[in-house]
Amino acid sequence: LMELPGFADKSIAIPPGSDVKDVISDDRRLIVRLRLAGGQAALLLINAFTGEIIGLITLHHAHQNGGTTKSK
């Protein structure tokens, strides 16, 4: 079993008004399922080794024609 370096206590800010609904983990990431203030669902991805935020994915419904909107 490989020993991994730990990290100190980490404070991670979530978007204002959001609630944590669930936390899931895999070998490398913590995935925090959020409900944002506006009601949308989001996933906050965190590096399990460093505690650094990888990114925030906001989920939304596809348009009725089945397409999605691309971010610029």
Side-chain angles (χ1 to χ4, degrees), residues 1 5 9-10 12 17-18 22-25 32-33 37 40-42 44 47 54-55 57 59-61 65 68 70 72:
L1 191 59
D9 291 345
K10 201 69 148 164
I12 298 173
S18 62
D22 196 14
V23 178
I24 316 163
S25 65
V32 181
R33 191 168 62 90
Q40 306 109 310
L44 179 64
N47 182 307
I54 298 168
I57 300 170
L59 305 174
H60 59 88
H61 293 285
N65 65 4
T68 58
K70 290 184 178 182
K72 292 185 178 182

Side-chain angles (χ1 to χ4, degrees), residues 29-55:
R29 294 174 301 236
L30 299 173
I31 302 165
V32 181
R33 191 168 62 90
L34 301 172
R35 177 68 57 197
L36 301 178
Q40 306 109 310
L43 302 172
L44 179 64
L45 287 83
I46 302 169
N47 182 307
F49 299 113
T50 65
E52 296 299 319
I53 293 175
I54 298 168

